[in-house]
Amino acid sequence: MVAGCLVLACVLLAGGWRGVRGRRGGGRVPVAAVLLCVAAAAASAGLHGADLRRGPVPALARQYATVTAEVQVTSDPRLTRPRITGDHAAPTAVVIGAEVRRVETADGRVVATRAPVLLIVDARAGAGSGTQVGAAGRPGSGGVTSGPTPAVEGPARSPWLGLLPSTRVRVTARAAPALMGGDRVAAVLRVRDRGGPEVVGEASGTQRFAGRLRAGLREATDGLPADARALLPGLVVGDTARITPELDEAFKETDLAHTLAVSGSNLTILLALLIGPPGLAQLVERRGLAPRLGVSLRATALLGGGLTLGFVVVCRPDPSVLRAAACGAVALLALATGRRRSLIPALATAVLLLVLYDPWLARSYGFLLSVLATGALLTLAPRWSLALRRRRVPPRLAEALAAAAAAQALCAPVVAVLSARVSLVAVPCNLLVEFAVAPATVLGFAALATAPVAMPMAKALAWCASWPAGWIADVARTGASLPGGGVDWPGSWTGAGLLALLTGILLLVGRRLLRHPWWCAGCAMVFVLAVVQPPPLARVITGWPPPGWRLAMCDVGQGDAMVLAAGEATGVVVDAGPDPALVDGCLRTLGITKVPLVVLTHFHADHVAGLAGVLRGRSVGA
């Protein structure tokens, strides 16, 4: 962590080195700044690490003791995804980040402390998201729904899901140490849900107001189509409670997962709406709402700061939101001033301050991806856009293509480490959704602001926002359904290095190919055929599926999934295996688009948990 801060400090000072190197003794300034950053990083890490060892909670966790404690909620409750082990599905649980403020010891004393913990509430009354699976086929024991079902929303099923950050609750739980060493929690508290949480302190007024805004947005989107209803709250305020596992997987496979949560682009869009086109932000002919209302540039800056603060409060002051606010503000400032090179130190400053505020960000892949994407927009994207414009590419298309390609080039190696897969459709999909993100975000925030005072107007705005949101979901589903949309890749840092090397080689080759339009067209055609993989062409190359096939056994790991041919692009499916992605891939390879009948032999997870994959994008009968 200290080494990472040292690297960031060196990057930060790279921009200021030129200004001091000519002065006497100027070389001492960077060295002193680096040492100061290292000292600050060590102090911050030590203070945060002390929270994991302070008080009686760590000792109680090592003893697996049952404790009674007063905890303060620090994050929004969320449901875990159902896990499949063998022939059964583990029940979902409510997971909450919290801090223990008071704990009762074995001798009855109450000790005040401050230890970060993770609450896991076994709320078996609440159902999970996606296909529901039970261990037996009895009514009410789980079973299988007729299709993918959205995640449980709000406190309707479990009252724990309605808790707001800063709420204090009294719990009786069994403490356990974190499974991974160096985790950011001092203990894991497993709570048995027996009638809901015992609230001993209400949430703060700010959090209650933010909670009302978020609840109003959920209510305004209740009547929308399923995809828009799930995506819009996530796109606006990072509320992903309605995102189904199937939709979440589609966004991951197309590298569009950044649209499911709050990112720097959300804040950039809102600030651009306030000040107008970024390139005119400091000019007399600047545009936007603020100059149209006669607001001065200094007052506009204050309004922008207030908007940023409100953005952080409504979207929750979690580290990811703080990262998005800092990086989004830096990216907008770079565009507004036109001084991209000088703002690389500013980006490093924002990163360094955030890491000092929360050292655990140094281990966050999401934080790393956000920084890499912002750096790509400040460094590579402008040069690539200029090169494309020189080759007569329209300016707007050149900027969008350069931004998407630059972010993908820098982020792909890290994504490969996380998912062991490289998306081949990430750039086209990001281009297709780019024009829809801004209207969906602006209309979604308008619905958020009007919901508490005029719900009918908020529903109308949400309905308008559902069109671009639905388009984003359709692009993700379509890209994920392409047979060659991605390739498996080693999920290690060695694999990331190989991918970075391959990306560099492709960029060098592509730079030369741009001089030969016909070669570019030929390579583009080959790439499209490799991604789409038309069934006739795939059958000629791979020999699969064989002509006149009658029965196919899908490779789904433990469990069964069989397909009986029933006509052109039609098949009867018997069982669905444990994984929706595996059975969906098998049916796509077979070219099955119509399923007149699905037969489920018995309700074990390794036979029915993949049903969502059978239903994905197909016409299903009985």
Side-chain angles (χ1 to χ4, degrees), residues 505-530:
I505 295 175
L506 290 177
L507 290 176
L508 292 176
V509 174
R511 184 177 181 181
R512 296 181 178 273
L513 281 178
L514 287 176
R515 304 172 185 174
H516 307 282
W518 288 106
W519 279 99
C520 290
C523 293
M525 182 63 67
V526 172
F527 175 78
V528 171
L529 291 177

Side-chain angles (χ1 to χ4, degrees), residues 1 35 91 154 179 196 213 232 255 292 294 442 452 455 494 526 608 611:
M1 188 177 301
L35 294 177
L179 293 178
L213 290 178
L232 199 56
D255 281 359
R292 292 181 185 276
V442 173
M455 183 56 67
T494 302
V526 172
V608 300
L611 180 60

Side-chain angles (χ1 to χ4, degrees), residues 302-328:
L302 294 177
L303 287 176
L307 182 63
T308 303
L309 180 61
F311 175 84
V312 172
V313 171
V314 173
C315 298
R316 302 292 190 236
D318 293 329
S320 61
V321 177
L322 294 175
R323 179 198 71 233
C327 294

Side-chain angles (χ1 to χ4, degrees), residues 521-606:
C523 293
M525 182 63 67
V526 172
F527 175 78
V528 171
L529 291 177
V531 171
V532 177
Q533 295 182 10
L537 179 62
R539 178 174 296 177
V540 170
I541 297 177
T542 65
W544 183 263
W549 67 276
R550 292 291 178 264
L551 170 66
M553 298 283 293
C554 294
D555 183 6
V556 293
Q558 176 177 324
D560 291 313
M562 296 182 291
V563 185
L564 306 173
E568 183 68 24
T570 305
V572 173
V573 178
V574 180
D575 286 336
D579 190 339
L582 293 178
V583 69
D584 178 46
C586 176
L587 294 176
R588 276 189 289 169
T589 304
L590 296 173
I592 300 297
T593 59
K594 300 177 183 178
V595 182
L597 179 65
V598 178
V599 179
L600 301 176
T601 58
H602 60 289
F603 288 96
H604 279 175
D606 56 347

Side-chain angles (χ1 to χ4, degrees), residues 116-415:
V117 296
L118 183 68
L119 293 181
I120 301 180
V121 183
D122 294 334
R124 295 177 184 268
S129 58
T131 304
Q132 300 175 358
V133 182
R138 303 186 309 272
S141 65
V144 194
T145 64
S146 60
T149 57
V152 177
E153 304 159 14
R157 291 293 187 90
S158 174
W160 292 87
L161 291 172
L163 293 178
L164 295 172
S166 74
T167 303
R168 291 202 178 196
V169 295
R170 181 182 176 86
V171 299
T172 299
R174 185 179 182 184
L179 293 178
M180 298 177 60
D183 207 341
R184 63 185 304 165
V185 296
V188 176
L189 303 184
R190 183 171 291 275
V191 183
R192 302 295 179 182
D193 185 10
R194 298 177 180 176
E198 180 184 350
V199 178
V200 296
E202 295 292 336
S204 64
T206 302
Q207 290 295 344
R208 290 200 301 271
F209 176 71
R212 285 196 296 271
L213 290 178
R214 294 164 67 95
L217 179 61
R218 286 194 296 269
E219 182 180 351
T221 57
D222 281 341
L224 300 180
D227 283 345
R229 183 174 65 247
L231 180 58
L232 199 56
L235 183 66
V236 176
V237 294
D239 183 358
T240 59
R242 291 171 169 173
I243 301 294
T244 61
E246 180 255 338
L247 182 61
D248 182 64
E249 187 65 25
F251 275 80
K252 289 180 179 178
E253 291 183 4
T254 53
D255 281 359
L256 291 175
H258 59 87
T259 62
L260 291 179
V262 177
S263 64
S265 61
N266 299 67
L267 180 61
T268 301
I269 291 171
L270 293 179
L271 292 178
L273 181 66
L274 177 67
I275 69 174
L280 304 178
Q282 292 185 334
L283 303 180
V284 176
E285 57 271 18
R286 63 193 181 97
R287 303 170 190 169
L289 294 178
R292 292 181 185 276
L293 297 176
V295 181
S296 65
L297 185 60
R298 182 174 299 178
T300 301
L302 294 177
L303 287 176
L307 182 63
T308 303
L309 180 61
F311 175 84
V312 172
V313 171
V314 173
C315 298
R316 302 292 190 236
D318 293 329
S320 61
V321 177
L322 294 175
R323 179 198 71 233
C327 294
V330 168
L332 180 62
L333 183 60
L335 294 175
T337 61
R339 301 172 60 188
R340 295 181 173 90
R341 291 185 179 179
S342 64
L343 282 172
I344 295 300
L347 173 61
T349 301
V351 172
L352 183 58
L353 291 177
L354 287 174
V355 171
L356 292 178
Y357 170 77
D358 185 2
W360 300 106
L361 286 176
R363 302 176 59 188
S364 170
Y365 284 101
F367 181 75
L368 176 60
L369 289 171
S370 178
V371 173
L372 289 176
T374 305
L377 295 179
L378 296 178
T379 56
L380 297 180
R383 299 178 182 178
W384 292 3
S385 175
L386 181 60
L388 291 174
R389 275 186 269 182
R390 289 174 180 171
R391 291 168 173 81
R392 300 181 181 179
V393 178
R396 184 68 185 92
L397 177 60
E399 291 181 3
L401 182 59
Q408 182 66 17
L410 290 188
C411 295
V414 181
V415 174

